[in-house]
mmCIF file of all heavy atoms in Angstrom:
data_model
loop_
_atom_site.group_PDB
_atom_site.id
_atom_site.type_symbol
_atom_site.label_atom_id
_atom_site.label_comp_id
_atom_site.label_asym_id
_atom_site.label_seq_id
_atom_site.Cartn_x
_atom_site.Cartn_y
_atom_site.Cartn_z
ATOM 1 N N ILE A 1322 279.804 139.106 265.950
ATOM 2 C CA ILE A 1322 279.128 138.041 265.209
ATOM 3 C C ILE A 1322 277.957 137.513 266.022
ATOM 4 O O ILE A 1322 276.856 137.305 265.498
ATOM 5 C CB ILE A 1322 280.124 136.925 264.836
ATOM 6 C CG1 ILE A 1322 281.137 137.463 263.816
ATOM 7 C CG2 ILE A 1322 279.394 135.700 264.291
ATOM 8 C CD1 ILE A 1322 282.311 136.554 263.562
ATOM 9 N N LYS A 1323 278.172 137.321 267.297
ATOM 10 C CA LYS A 1323 277.110 136.827 268.182
ATOM 11 C C LYS A 1323 275.934 137.805 268.229
ATOM 12 O O LYS A 1323 274.765 137.395 268.157
ATOM 13 C CB LYS A 1323 277.681 136.606 269.589
ATOM 14 C CG LYS A 1323 276.698 136.037 270.571
ATOM 15 C CD LYS A 1323 277.362 135.804 271.923
ATOM 16 C CE LYS A 1323 276.358 135.275 272.925
ATOM 17 N NZ LYS A 1323 276.949 135.077 274.248
ATOM 18 N N VAL A 1324 276.214 139.096 268.339
ATOM 19 C CA VAL A 1324 275.147 140.106 268.401
ATOM 20 C C VAL A 1324 274.389 140.179 267.073
ATOM 21 O O VAL A 1324 273.157 140.306 267.064
ATOM 22 C CB VAL A 1324 275.715 141.485 268.813
ATOM 23 C CG1 VAL A 1324 274.683 142.583 268.628
ATOM 24 C CG2 VAL A 1324 276.202 141.441 270.259
ATOM 25 N N LEU A 1325 275.088 140.093 265.953
ATOM 26 C CA LEU A 1325 274.402 140.073 264.657
ATOM 27 C C LEU A 1325 273.380 138.942 264.617
ATOM 28 O O LEU A 1325 272.251 139.116 264.150
ATOM 29 C CB LEU A 1325 275.406 139.899 263.516
ATOM 30 C CG LEU A 1325 276.288 141.089 263.167
ATOM 31 C CD1 LEU A 1325 277.379 140.669 262.184
ATOM 32 C CD2 LEU A 1325 275.466 142.237 262.604
ATOM 33 N N GLU A 1326 273.785 137.788 265.130
ATOM 34 C CA GLU A 1326 272.898 136.626 265.145
ATOM 35 C C GLU A 1326 271.763 136.802 266.153
ATOM 36 O O GLU A 1326 270.594 136.594 265.816
ATOM 37 C CB GLU A 1326 273.712 135.370 265.465
ATOM 38 C CG GLU A 1326 272.904 134.098 265.353
ATOM 39 C CD GLU A 1326 273.781 132.861 265.472
ATOM 40 O OE1 GLU A 1326 274.999 132.957 265.758
ATOM 41 O OE2 GLU A 1326 273.229 131.771 265.282
ATOM 42 N N GLU A 1327 272.080 137.201 267.372
ATOM 43 C CA GLU A 1327 271.057 137.353 268.417
ATOM 44 C C GLU A 1327 270.000 138.394 268.058
ATOM 45 O O GLU A 1327 268.829 138.239 268.393
ATOM 46 C CB GLU A 1327 271.709 137.749 269.744
ATOM 47 C CG GLU A 1327 272.468 136.636 270.416
ATOM 48 C CD GLU A 1327 273.188 137.087 271.677
ATOM 49 O OE1 GLU A 1327 273.252 138.307 271.959
ATOM 50 O OE2 GLU A 1327 273.690 136.201 272.397
ATOM 51 N N ARG A 1328 270.428 139.465 267.394
ATOM 52 C CA ARG A 1328 269.517 140.554 267.034
ATOM 53 C C ARG A 1328 268.828 140.329 265.693
ATOM 54 O O ARG A 1328 268.097 141.187 265.213
ATOM 55 C CB ARG A 1328 270.266 141.890 267.000
ATOM 56 C CG ARG A 1328 270.874 142.281 268.315
ATOM 57 C CD ARG A 1328 269.817 142.631 269.307
ATOM 58 N NE ARG A 1328 270.423 143.030 270.561
ATOM 59 C CZ ARG A 1328 269.823 143.759 271.451
ATOM 60 N NH1 ARG A 1328 268.608 144.181 271.249
ATOM 61 N NH2 ARG A 1328 270.419 144.060 272.567
ATOM 62 N N ASN A 1329 269.098 139.178 265.091
ATOM 63 C CA ASN A 1329 268.517 138.852 263.787
ATOM 64 C C ASN A 1329 268.770 139.945 262.758
ATOM 65 O O ASN A 1329 267.894 140.296 261.960
ATOM 66 C CB ASN A 1329 267.016 138.570 263.902
ATOM 67 C CG ASN A 1329 266.751 137.310 264.676
ATOM 68 O OD1 ASN A 1329 267.397 136.292 264.466
ATOM 69 N ND2 ASN A 1329 265.825 137.380 265.605
ATOM 70 N N PHE A 1330 269.982 140.501 262.787
ATOM 71 C CA PHE A 1330 270.344 141.499 261.796
ATOM 72 C C PHE A 1330 270.266 140.848 260.426
ATOM 73 O O PHE A 1330 270.690 139.702 260.246
ATOM 74 C CB PHE A 1330 271.766 142.013 262.065
ATOM 75 C CG PHE A 1330 272.143 143.194 261.225
ATOM 76 C CD1 PHE A 1330 271.738 144.465 261.588
ATOM 77 C CD2 PHE A 1330 272.882 143.030 260.066
ATOM 78 C CE1 PHE A 1330 272.074 145.568 260.809
ATOM 79 C CE2 PHE A 1330 273.222 144.114 259.286
ATOM 80 C CZ PHE A 1330 272.815 145.391 259.654
ATOM 81 N N PRO A 1331 269.690 141.546 259.439
ATOM 82 C CA PRO A 1331 269.480 140.919 258.123
ATOM 83 C C PRO A 1331 270.793 140.734 257.352
ATOM 84 O O PRO A 1331 271.203 141.581 256.570
ATOM 85 C CB PRO A 1331 268.546 141.901 257.418
ATOM 86 C CG PRO A 1331 268.796 143.217 258.072
ATOM 87 C CD PRO A 1331 269.140 142.900 259.499
ATOM 88 N N VAL A 1332 271.452 139.609 257.582
ATOM 89 C CA VAL A 1332 272.721 139.279 256.938
ATOM 90 C C VAL A 1332 272.456 138.218 255.873
ATOM 91 O O VAL A 1332 271.971 137.134 256.178
ATOM 92 C CB VAL A 1332 273.738 138.735 257.967
ATOM 93 C CG1 VAL A 1332 275.014 138.283 257.286
ATOM 94 C CG2 VAL A 1332 274.028 139.781 259.036
ATOM 95 N N SER A 1333 272.781 138.552 254.627
ATOM 96 C CA SER A 1333 272.655 137.549 253.570
ATOM 97 C C SER A 1333 273.929 136.729 253.451
ATOM 98 O O SER A 1333 273.892 135.562 253.075
ATOM 99 C CB SER A 1333 272.310 138.190 252.230
ATOM 100 O OG SER A 1333 273.351 139.054 251.811
ATOM 101 N N SER A 1334 275.071 137.356 253.775
ATOM 102 C CA SER A 1334 276.336 136.623 253.806
ATOM 103 C C SER A 1334 277.262 137.306 254.806
ATOM 104 O O SER A 1334 277.210 138.518 254.981
ATOM 105 C CB SER A 1334 276.984 136.573 252.427
ATOM 106 O OG SER A 1334 277.387 137.860 252.015
ATOM 107 N N LEU A 1335 278.074 136.492 255.452
ATOM 108 C CA LEU A 1335 279.025 137.005 256.435
ATOM 109 C C LEU A 1335 280.417 136.557 256.029
ATOM 110 O O LEU A 1335 280.637 135.375 255.724
ATOM 111 C CB LEU A 1335 278.714 136.477 257.836
ATOM 112 C CG LEU A 1335 279.655 136.988 258.918
ATOM 113 C CD1 LEU A 1335 279.314 138.434 259.273
ATOM 114 C CD2 LEU A 1335 279.589 136.122 260.154
ATOM 115 N N LYS A 1336 281.343 137.499 256.021
ATOM 116 C CA LYS A 1336 282.742 137.206 255.732
ATOM 117 C C LYS A 1336 283.522 137.481 257.013
ATOM 118 O O LYS A 1336 283.468 138.576 257.561
ATOM 119 C CB LYS A 1336 283.240 138.095 254.595
ATOM 120 C CG LYS A 1336 284.632 137.749 254.115
ATOM 121 C CD LYS A 1336 285.073 138.662 252.986
ATOM 122 C CE LYS A 1336 284.646 138.098 251.653
ATOM 123 N NZ LYS A 1336 285.366 138.766 250.529
ATOM 124 N N ALA A 1337 284.222 136.478 257.506
ATOM 125 C CA ALA A 1337 285.046 136.602 258.703
ATOM 126 C C ALA A 1337 286.477 136.882 258.266
ATOM 127 O O ALA A 1337 287.078 136.079 257.559
ATOM 128 C CB ALA A 1337 284.969 135.322 259.529
ATOM 129 N N LEU A 1338 287.003 138.034 258.669
ATOM 130 C CA LEU A 1338 288.337 138.449 258.249
ATOM 131 C C LEU A 1338 289.251 138.620 259.455
ATOM 132 O O LEU A 1338 288.804 139.059 260.515
ATOM 133 C CB LEU A 1338 288.253 139.775 257.487
ATOM 134 C CG LEU A 1338 287.410 139.758 256.223
ATOM 135 C CD1 LEU A 1338 287.190 141.171 255.709
ATOM 136 C CD2 LEU A 1338 288.053 138.883 255.162
ATOM 137 N N ALA A 1339 290.522 138.271 259.276
ATOM 138 C CA ALA A 1339 291.497 138.403 260.353
ATOM 139 C C ALA A 1339 292.897 138.378 259.746
ATOM 140 O O ALA A 1339 293.060 138.332 258.527
ATOM 141 C CB ALA A 1339 291.317 137.282 261.375
ATOM 142 N N SER A 1340 293.887 138.385 260.610
ATOM 143 C CA SER A 1340 295.278 138.351 260.151
ATOM 144 C C SER A 1340 295.611 136.970 259.584
ATOM 145 O O SER A 1340 294.870 136.003 259.768
ATOM 146 C CB SER A 1340 296.215 138.669 261.313
ATOM 147 O OG SER A 1340 296.161 137.630 262.272
ATOM 148 N N ALA A 1341 296.762 136.890 258.934
ATOM 149 C CA ALA A 1341 297.195 135.638 258.305
ATOM 150 C C ALA A 1341 297.263 134.482 259.306
ATOM 151 O O ALA A 1341 296.971 133.344 258.955
ATOM 152 C CB ALA A 1341 298.553 135.835 257.629
ATOM 153 N N ARG A 1342 297.612 134.779 260.541
ATOM 154 C CA ARG A 1342 297.739 133.681 261.516
ATOM 155 C C ARG A 1342 296.397 133.050 261.886
ATOM 156 O O ARG A 1342 296.359 131.954 262.444
ATOM 157 C CB ARG A 1342 298.497 134.147 262.757
ATOM 158 C CG ARG A 1342 297.753 135.089 263.650
ATOM 159 C CD ARG A 1342 298.586 135.439 264.893
ATOM 160 N NE ARG A 1342 297.866 136.350 265.742
ATOM 161 C CZ ARG A 1342 297.951 137.671 265.690
ATOM 162 N NH1 ARG A 1342 298.753 138.246 264.834
ATOM 163 N NH2 ARG A 1342 297.250 138.423 266.505
ATOM 164 N N SER A 1343 295.291 133.720 261.581
ATOM 165 C CA SER A 1343 293.967 133.170 261.897
ATOM 166 C C SER A 1343 293.283 132.515 260.703
ATOM 167 O O SER A 1343 292.202 131.954 260.837
ATOM 168 C CB SER A 1343 293.051 134.272 262.436
ATOM 169 O OG SER A 1343 293.508 134.715 263.692
ATOM 170 N N VAL A 1344 293.917 132.584 259.536
ATOM 171 C CA VAL A 1344 293.318 132.000 258.334
ATOM 172 C C VAL A 1344 293.059 130.518 258.551
ATOM 173 O O VAL A 1344 293.904 129.794 259.079
ATOM 174 C CB VAL A 1344 294.238 132.220 257.109
ATOM 175 C CG1 VAL A 1344 293.760 131.420 255.907
ATOM 176 C CG2 VAL A 1344 294.292 133.695 256.767
ATOM 177 N N GLY A 1345 291.876 130.099 258.159
ATOM 178 C CA GLY A 1345 291.503 128.696 258.296
ATOM 179 C C GLY A 1345 290.758 128.373 259.572
ATOM 180 O O GLY A 1345 290.114 127.342 259.665
ATOM 181 N N LYS A 1346 290.826 129.267 260.572
ATOM 182 C CA LYS A 1346 290.021 129.051 261.771
ATOM 183 C C LYS A 1346 288.559 129.150 261.375
ATOM 184 O O LYS A 1346 288.213 129.662 260.311
ATOM 185 C CB LYS A 1346 290.347 130.084 262.848
ATOM 186 C CG LYS A 1346 291.715 129.897 263.470
ATOM 187 C CD LYS A 1346 291.939 130.861 264.604
ATOM 188 C CE LYS A 1346 293.300 130.633 265.229
ATOM 189 N NZ LYS A 1346 293.539 131.572 266.339
ATOM 190 N N LYS A 1347 287.693 128.679 262.217
ATOM 191 C CA LYS A 1347 286.260 128.663 261.913
ATOM 192 C C LYS A 1347 285.496 129.490 262.943
ATOM 193 O O LYS A 1347 285.854 129.523 264.111
ATOM 194 C CB LYS A 1347 285.734 127.231 261.941
ATOM 195 C CG LYS A 1347 286.563 126.222 261.165
ATOM 196 C CD LYS A 1347 286.069 126.054 259.773
ATOM 197 C CE LYS A 1347 286.653 124.841 259.098
ATOM 198 N NZ LYS A 1347 287.822 125.037 258.324
#
């Protein structure tokens, strides 16, 4: 995520996915 931002990769939307135990984290 940090590299996408630092490199100005053209992201129109980002979805952060993980296991159930990480749901709701930011």
